[in-house]
Amino acid sequence: PNTPTSCHRSLPTVPPAPPLVYVSDVTASTLTVRWRSTSTGGAPILGYYLHKKREFGEWQRVEVPEDADSYTLTGLQCGTRYQVYVTAFNHVGASQPSDAIPTKTLGREPIVPAQSSLLRVNVTSISLNLAAWLDGGCPITSMVVEYKERDMSSWTLVSNHVRWDNTSEFLVLDLKPAHHYTLRVTAHNSAGSSVATYPFTTLTHLGATLSPELMVHDRAGAVPWYLDSHVLVAVVVACILVLLAVCVAVAYTCRRTNTHTQTYKAEVNHVHNDLTPDSGLTSETLLGGRSLEILEAYTPSTLPLGSYDEISPYATFRMPGETKTPPPPPLPSPDVSLAESTYSRVKRKCSASQDGGETPYQEPHCVLHPC
């Protein structure tokens, strides 16, 4: 006999769909994450995985029971950013991750106080009221205190681990009276760091404050007037112009000296050409047997050009190559009768040339240089 058979058709099962996730409650150290399932995948959900990651940290996973729809993360850092997402799983496997939700715990970096509430200045020290710093909702873990003279670039470290509390004060000692300083305080907490700088001036030996007029001329970072770029440019340009003027003056002086020397030599040569036997005047006649080379060898230091007939018999000369030259002997006075006869002979010769009619008249080139 035929026996009846029953057929069972089973539906395929898959992992659950990603849940919908959001963050509901946030404190300085906790985050409450909620979710809602959209599809089980044909099989009961066995549980959830909640993933969290701190900014610049690593991912961490927390397993949550299947009947839960929220979870509170505890022990988180104050004022810190996090990311969270959730996955559901059944006996087939885990769902795709939900969208990552960025969030942040409450709190912020320390709040910088006003100088008047933080700083109290004395003659050789200052006192810091640490309670003036507000923690921003996250406890201040440490503080760094530094100072420097206002015109200096390097900082002096007082302490890099000052403990913050609401009752104590912190002293900075060994300062100079009536000096300008800059104080730098850095406060750290889990949310970040805050840096504040405070310029101050210590009191004088008598406990008085410096007048504002004295403080104006000692600004932090002020550049001295002689280092100003405009002043430097003007000084450089002036130096260049002065150097050019000196070079031009030296070149002009050298050129003028060379020109005078050449002119002097040309006129000396011209005198030699005039003193020929035809003219009846010779260097021996005028100088009593001494050669006119004496005139060439000695260069007068103050001799006007073109005035050789006015040379003083007492002028001093220097031989080339000698460091010290004795004055030349005085020129002898020429014989009056010899000079007159020579002058008469020159005059007759010039007149004969004019009267004879052999040559046309030309201005006689006869020069008599009296001693």
Side-chain angles (χ1 to χ4, degrees), residues 184-250:
R184 182 168 68 183
V185 181
T186 306
H188 303 281
N189 64 8
S190 59
S193 302
S194 297
V195 182
T197 56
Y198 303 96
F200 68 94
T201 304
T202 53
L203 304 180
T204 64
H205 288 285
L206 300 178
T209 58
L210 292 181
S211 62
E213 291 77 10
L214 296 178
M215 298 175 63
V216 168
H217 298 287
D218 196 14
R219 301 186 304 273
V223 178
W225 65 269
Y226 53 83
L227 294 181
D228 185 78
S229 58
H230 298 84
V231 176
L232 292 177
V233 170
V235 171
V236 171
V237 171
C239 292
I240 293 175
L241 293 178
V242 170
L243 182 60
L244 290 177
V246 171
C247 293
V248 170
V250 171

Coordinates of all heavy atoms in Angstrom, one line a residue, residues 184-250:
R184 N 55.0 82.4 30.9 CA 54.2 81.5 30.1 C 53.8 80.3 30.9 O 54.6 79.6 31.5 CB 55.1 81.0 28.9 CG 54.3 80.0 27.9 CD 55.1 79.8 26.6 NE 56.3 79.1 26.8 CZ 57.2 78.8 25.8 NH1 56.9 79.3 24.6 NH2 58.3 78.1 26.1
V185 N 52.5 80.0 30.9 CA 51.9 78.9 31.7 C 51.1 78.0 30.7 O 50.3 78.5 29.9 CB 51.0 79.5 32.8 CG1 50.4 78.3 33.6 CG2 51.7 80.4 33.7
T186 N 51.4 76.7 30.8 CA 50.7 75.7 30.0 C 50.0 74.8 30.9 O 50.6 74.2 31.8 CB 51.7 75.0 29.1 OG1 52.5 75.9 28.3 CG2 51.0 74.0 28.1
A187 N 48.6 74.6 30.7 CA 47.8 73.7 31.5 C 47.3 72.6 30.6 O 46.9 72.8 29.5 CB 46.6 74.5 32.1
H188 N 47.4 71.4 31.2 CA 47.0 70.2 30.4 C 45.8 69.5 31.1 O 45.8 69.4 32.4 CB 48.2 69.2 30.3 CG 49.4 69.7 29.7 ND1 49.6 69.8 28.3 CD2 50.5 70.2 30.3 CE1 50.7 70.4 28.1 NE2 51.4 70.6 29.2
N189 N 44.9 68.9 30.3 CA 43.9 68.0 30.8 C 43.6 67.0 29.7 O 44.3 67.1 28.6 CB 42.6 68.7 31.3 CG 41.9 69.4 30.2 OD1 42.2 69.3 29.0 ND2 40.9 70.2 30.6
S190 N 42.7 66.1 29.9 CA 42.4 65.0 28.9 C 41.8 65.6 27.6 O 41.9 65.0 26.5 CB 41.5 64.0 29.5 OG 40.3 64.6 29.9
A191 N 41.3 66.8 27.7 CA 40.7 67.4 26.5 C 41.7 68.1 25.6 O 41.5 68.4 24.4 CB 39.5 68.3 26.8
G192 N 42.8 68.5 26.2 CA 43.8 69.2 25.4 C 44.7 70.1 26.3 O 44.8 69.9 27.5
S193 N 45.3 71.1 25.7 CA 46.2 72.0 26.5 C 45.9 73.4 26.1 O 45.5 73.7 25.0 CB 47.7 71.7 26.1 OG 48.0 70.3 26.4
S194 N 46.2 74.3 27.1 CA 46.0 75.7 26.9 C 47.3 76.4 27.3 O 47.8 76.1 28.3 CB 44.8 76.3 27.7 OG 43.6 75.7 27.3
V195 N 47.7 77.4 26.5 CA 48.9 78.1 26.7 C 48.6 79.6 26.8 O 47.9 80.2 26.0 CB 50.0 77.9 25.6 CG1 51.3 78.7 25.9 CG2 50.2 76.4 25.4
A196 N 49.1 80.2 27.9 CA 48.9 81.7 28.1 C 50.2 82.4 28.4 O 51.0 81.8 29.1 CB 47.9 81.9 29.2
T197 N 50.4 83.6 27.9 CA 51.6 84.4 28.2 C 51.1 85.7 28.8 O 50.1 86.3 28.5 CB 52.4 84.7 26.9 OG1 51.5 85.3 26.0 CG2 52.9 83.4 26.3
Y198 N 51.9 86.1 29.8 CA 51.6 87.3 30.6 C 52.9 88.2 30.7 O 53.8 87.8 31.4 CB 51.1 87.0 32.0 CG 49.9 86.0 32.0 CD1 50.1 84.7 32.1 CD2 48.6 86.5 31.9 CE1 49.0 83.8 32.1 CE2 47.5 85.7 31.9 CZ 47.7 84.3 32.0 OH 46.6 83.5 32.0
P199 N 52.9 89.4 30.1 CA 54.0 90.3 30.4 C 53.8 91.0 31.7 O 52.7 91.4 32.1 CB 53.9 91.3 29.2 CG 52.5 91.3 28.8 CD 52.0 89.9 29.1
F200 N 55.0 91.1 32.4 CA 54.9 91.8 33.7 C 56.2 92.5 34.0 O 57.2 92.1 33.4 CB 54.5 90.8 34.8 CG 55.6 89.8 35.1 CD1 56.5 90.0 36.1 CD2 55.6 88.6 34.4 CE1 57.5 89.1 36.4 CE2 56.6 87.7 34.7 CZ 57.5 87.9 35.7
T201 N 56.2 93.4 34.9 CA 57.4 94.1 35.4 C 57.5 94.1 36.9 O 56.6 94.4 37.6 CB 57.4 95.6 34.9 OG1 57.2 95.6 33.5 CG2 58.7 96.3 35.2
T202 N 58.7 93.6 37.4 CA 58.9 93.5 38.8 C 59.0 94.9 39.4 O 59.3 95.9 38.7 CB 60.1 92.7 39.1 OG1 61.2 93.3 38.4 CG2 60.0 91.2 38.8
L203 N 58.7 95.0 40.7 CA 58.8 96.3 41.4 C 60.2 96.7 41.6 O 61.2 95.9 41.5 CB 58.1 96.2 42.7 CG 56.6 95.7 42.7 CD1 56.0 95.6 44.1 CD2 55.8 96.5 41.8
T204 N 60.4 98.0 41.9 CA 61.7 98.5 42.2 C 62.1 98.1 43.6 O 61.3 97.5 44.3 CB 61.7 100.1 42.1 OG1 60.8 100.6 43.0 CG2 61.2 100.5 40.7
H205 N 63.4 98.5 44.0 CA 63.8 98.1 45.3 C 63.0 98.7 46.4 O 62.9 98.2 47.5 CB 65.3 98.6 45.5 CG 66.3 97.8 44.7 ND1 66.6 96.5 45.1 CD2 66.9 98.0 43.5 CE1 67.5 96.0 44.2 NE2 67.7 96.9 43.3
L206 N 62.4 99.9 46.1 CA 61.5 100.6 47.1 C 60.1 100.1 47.0 O 59.2 100.6 47.7 CB 61.6 102.1 46.8 CG 62.9 102.7 47.0 CD1 62.9 104.2 46.7 CD2 63.5 102.5 48.4
G207 N 59.8 99.1 46.1 CA 58.4 98.6 46.0 C 57.5 99.3 45.1 O 56.3 99.1 45.1
A208 N 58.1 100.2 44.3 CA 57.3 101.0 43.4 C 57.2 100.4 42.0 O 58.1 99.6 41.6 CB 57.8 102.5 43.3
T209 N 56.2 100.7 41.2 CA 56.1 100.2 39.9 C 56.8 101.2 38.9 O 56.8 102.4 39.2 CB 54.7 100.0 39.5 OG1 54.0 101.3 39.6 CG2 54.0 99.0 40.4
L210 N 57.3 100.7 37.8 CA 57.9 101.6 36.8 C 56.8 102.4 36.1 O 55.7 101.9 35.9 CB 58.6 100.7 35.8 CG 59.9 100.0 36.2 CD1 60.5 99.3 35.1 CD2 60.9 101.0 36.8
S211 N 57.2 103.6 35.7 CA 56.2 104.5 35.1 C 55.9 104.0 33.7 O 56.7 103.3 33.1 CB 56.7 105.9 35.0 OG 57.9 105.9 34.2
P212 N 54.7 104.2 33.2 CA 54.4 103.8 31.8 C 55.3 104.3 30.8 O 55.5 103.7 29.8 CB 52.9 104.3 31.6 CG 52.4 104.5 33.0 CD 53.6 104.9 33.8
E213 N 55.9 105.5 31.0 CA 56.8 106.1 30.0 C 58.0 105.2 29.8 O 58.5 105.0 28.7 CB 57.2 107.5 30.4 CG 56.2 108.5 30.3 CD 55.2 108.5 31.5 OE1 55.5 107.7 32.4 OE2 54.1 109.1 31.4
L214 N 58.5 104.6 30.9 CA 59.7 103.8 30.9 C 59.3 102.4 30.2 O 60.2 101.8 29.6 CB 60.3 103.5 32.3 CG 60.8 104.8 33.0 CD1 61.3 104.4 34.3 CD2 62.0 105.4 32.1
M215 N 58.1 102.0 30.4 CA 57.7 100.7 29.8 C 57.4 100.8 28.3 O 57.5 99.8 27.7 CB 56.5 100.2 30.6 CG 56.8 100.0 32.1 SD 55.3 99.5 33.0 CE 54.9 98.0 32.2
V216 N 57.1 101.9 27.9 CA 56.7 102.0 26.4 C 58.0 101.7 25.6 O 57.9 101.1 24.5 CB 56.2 103.4 26.1 CG1 56.1 103.7 24.6 CG2 54.8 103.6 26.8
H217 N 59.1 102.2 26.0 CA 60.3 102.1 25.2 C 61.0 100.7 25.3 O 62.1 100.5 24.7 CB 61.3 103.2 25.5 CG 60.8 104.5 25.3 ND1 60.7 105.1 24.1 CD2 60.4 105.5 26.2 CE1 60.2 106.3 24.2 NE2 60.0 106.6 25.5
D218 N 60.4 99.8 26.0 CA 61.0 98.5 26.1 C 60.0 97.4 25.8 O 59.7 96.5 26.5 CB 61.4 98.3 27.6 CG 62.4 97.1 27.7 OD1 62.9 96.6 26.6 OD2 62.6 96.6 28.8
R219 N 59.4 97.6 24.6 CA 58.4 96.6 24.1 C 59.0 95.3 23.8 O 60.1 95.3 23.3 CB 57.6 97.2 22.9 CG 56.9 98.5 23.2 CD 56.1 98.9 21.9 NE 56.9 98.9 20.7 CZ 57.6 100.0 20.3 NH1 57.6 101.1 21.0 NH2 58.3 99.9 19.2
A220 N 58.3 94.2 24.0 CA 58.8 92.9 23.6 C 58.9 92.8 22.1 O 58.0 93.1 21.4 CB 57.8 91.8 24.1
G221 N 60.1 92.4 21.7 CA 60.3 92.2 20.3 C 60.5 93.4 19.5 O 60.5 93.4 18.3
A222 N 60.7 94.6 20.2 CA 61.0 95.9 19.5 C 62.3 95.8 18.8 O 63.3 95.4 19.4 CB 60.9 97.0 20.4
V223 N 62.4 96.3 17.6 CA 63.7 96.3 16.8 C 64.4 97.7 17.0 O 63.7 98.7 16.9 CB 63.4 96.1 15.3 CG1 64.7 96.2 14.5 CG2 62.7 94.8 15.1
P224 N 65.7 97.7 17.4 CA 66.4 99.0 17.6 C 66.3 99.8 16.3 O 66.3 99.2 15.2 CB 67.8 98.5 17.9 CG 67.6 97.1 18.5 CD 66.5 96.5 17.7
W225 N 66.4 101.1 16.4 CA 66.3 102.0 15.2 C 67.4 101.7 14.3 O 67.2 101.8 13.0 CB 66.3 103.4 15.7 CG 67.6 103.9 16.3 CD1 68.0 103.8 17.6 CD2 68.7 104.4 15.6 NE1 69.2 104.3 17.8 CE2 69.8 104.7 16.6 CE3 69.0 104.6 14.2 CZ2 71.0 105.2 16.2 CZ3 70.3 105.1 13.9 CH2 71.2 105.4 14.9
Y226 N 68.6 101.4 14.7 CA 69.7 101.2 13.8 C 69.6 99.9 13.1 O 70.4 99.6 12.1 CB 71.1 101.3 14.6 CG 71.2 100.4 15.8 CD1 71.5 99.0 15.7 CD2 70.9 100.9 17.0 CE1 71.6 98.2 16.8 CE2 71.0 100.1 18.2 CZ 71.3 98.7 18.0 OH 71.4 97.9 19.1
L227 N 68.7 99.0 13.4 CA 68.5 97.8 12.7 C 67.3 97.8 11.8 O 66.9 96.8 11.2 CB 68.3 96.6 13.7 CG 69.6 96.2 14.5 CD1 69.3 95.0 15.4 CD2 70.8 95.9 13.6
D228 N 66.6 99.0 11.8 CA 65.5 99.1 10.9 C 65.9 99.0 9.4 O 67.0 99.5 9.0 CB 64.8 100.5 11.1 CG 63.6 100.7 10.3 OD1 62.5 100.1 10.7 OD2 63.6 101.3 9.3
S229 N 65.1 98.4 8.6 CA 65.5 98.1 7.2 C 65.7 99.4 6.4 O 66.6 99.5 5.6 CB 64.5 97.3 6.5 OG 63.2 97.9 6.6
H230 N 64.9 100.4 6.7 CA 65.0 101.7 6.0 C 66.3 102.4 6.3 O 67.0 102.9 5.4 CB 63.8 102.6 6.3 CG 62.5 102.1 5.9 ND1 61.8 101.2 6.6 CD2 61.8 102.2 4.7 CE1 60.7 100.9 6.0 NE2 60.6 101.5 4.8
V231 N 66.7 102.3 7.6 CA 68.0 103.0 8.0 C 69.1 102.2 7.4 O 70.1 102.9 6.9 CB 68.1 103.0 9.5 CG1 69.4 103.5 10.0 CG2 66.9 103.8 10.1
L232 N 69.1 100.9 7.4 CA 70.2 100.1 6.8 C 70.4 100.4 5.3 O 71.5 100.6 4.8 CB 70.0 98.7 7.0 CG 70.0 98.2 8.5 CD1 69.7 96.7 8.6 CD2 71.4 98.4 9.1
V233 N 69.2 100.5 4.6 CA 69.3 100.8 3.1 C 69.9 102.2 2.9 O 70.8 102.4 2.0 CB 67.9 100.7 2.5 CG1 67.9 101.2 1.1 CG2 67.5 99.2 2.5
A234 N 69.5 103.2 3.7 CA 70.0 104.5 3.5 C 71.5 104.6 3.8 O 72.3 105.2 3.1 CB 69.3 105.5 4.4
V235 N 72.0 103.9 4.8 CA 73.4 103.9 5.1 C 74.2 103.2 4.0 O 75.3 103.7 3.6 CB 73.6 103.1 6.5 CG1 75.1 102.9 6.7 CG2 73.0 104.0 7.6
V236 N 73.7 102.1 3.5 CA 74.4 101.4 2.4 C 74.5 102.2 1.2 O 75.6 102.3 0.5 CB 73.7 100.0 2.1 CG1 74.3 99.4 0.9 CG2 73.9 99.1 3.3
V237 N 73.4 102.9 0.8 CA 73.4 103.8 -0.4 C 74.4 104.9 -0.2 O 75.2 105.3 -1.1 CB 72.0 104.3 -0.7 CG1 72.0 105.3 -1.8 CG2 71.1 103.1 -1.1
A238 N 74.4 105.5 1.0 CA 75.3 106.6 1.3 C 76.8 106.2 1.2 O 77.6 106.9 0.6 CB 75.0 107.2 2.7
C239 N 77.1 105.0 1.7 CA 78.5 104.5 1.6 C 78.9 104.3 0.2 O 80.0 104.6 -0.2 CB 78.6 103.2 2.4 SG 78.4 103.4 4.2
I240 N 78.0 103.7 -0.6 CA 78.3 103.5 -2.0 C 78.6 104.8 -2.8 O 79.5 105.0 -3.5 CB 77.2 102.7 -2.7 CG1 77.1 101.3 -2.1 CG2 77.4 102.7 -4.2 CD1 75.9 100.5 -2.7
L241 N 77.7 105.8 -2.5 CA 77.9 107.1 -3.1 C 79.3 107.8 -2.7 O 80.0 108.4 -3.6 CB 76.8 108.1 -2.8 CG 75.4 107.7 -3.4 CD1 74.3 108.6 -2.9 CD2 75.5 107.6 -4.9
V242 N 79.6 107.7 -1.4 CA 80.9 108.2 -1.0 C 82.1 107.5 -1.6 O 83.0 108.2 -2.1 CB 81.0 108.2 0.6 CG1 82.4 108.5 1.0 CG2 79.9 109.1 1.2
L243 N 82.0 106.2 -1.8 CA 83.0 105.5 -2.4 C 83.2 105.8 -3.9 O 84.3 106.0 -4.4 CB 82.8 104.0 -2.3 CG 83.8 103.0 -2.8 CD1 85.1 103.2 -2.1 CD2 83.3 101.6 -2.7
L244 N 82.1 106.0 -4.6 CA 82.2 106.4 -6.0 C 82.8 107.8 -6.1 O 83.6 108.1 -7.0 CB 80.8 106.4 -6.6 CG 80.1 105.0 -6.8 CD1 78.7 105.2 -7.3 CD2 81.0 104.2 -7.8
A245 N 82.4 108.7 -5.2 CA 83.0 110.1 -5.2 C 84.5 110.1 -5.0 O 85.2 110.8 -5.7 CB 82.3 111.0 -4.2
V246 N 84.9 109.2 -4.1 CA 86.4 109.1 -3.8 C 87.1 108.6 -5.0 O 88.2 109.1 -5.4 CB 86.6 108.3 -2.6 CG1 88.1 108.0 -2.4 CG2 86.1 109.0 -1.3
C247 N 86.5 107.6 -5.7 CA 87.2 107.0 -6.9 C 87.3 108.0 -8.0 O 88.3 108.1 -8.7 CB 86.4 105.7 -7.3 SG 86.5 104.4 -6.1
V248 N 86.2 108.8 -8.2 CA 86.2 109.8 -9.2 C 87.2 110.9 -8.9 O 88.0 111.3 -9.8 CB 84.8 110.4 -9.4 CG1 84.8 111.6 -10.3 CG2 83.8 109.4 -9.9
A249 N 87.3 111.3 -7.7 CA 88.3 112.3 -7.3 C 89.8 111.8 -7.5 O 90.6 112.5 -8.0 CB 88.1 112.7 -5.9
V250 N 90.0 110.6 -7.1 CA 91.4 110.0 -7.3 C 91.7 109.9 -8.8 O 92.8 110.3 -9.3 CB 91.5 108.7 -6.6 CG1 92.8 108.0 -7.0 CG2 91.4 108.8 -5.1

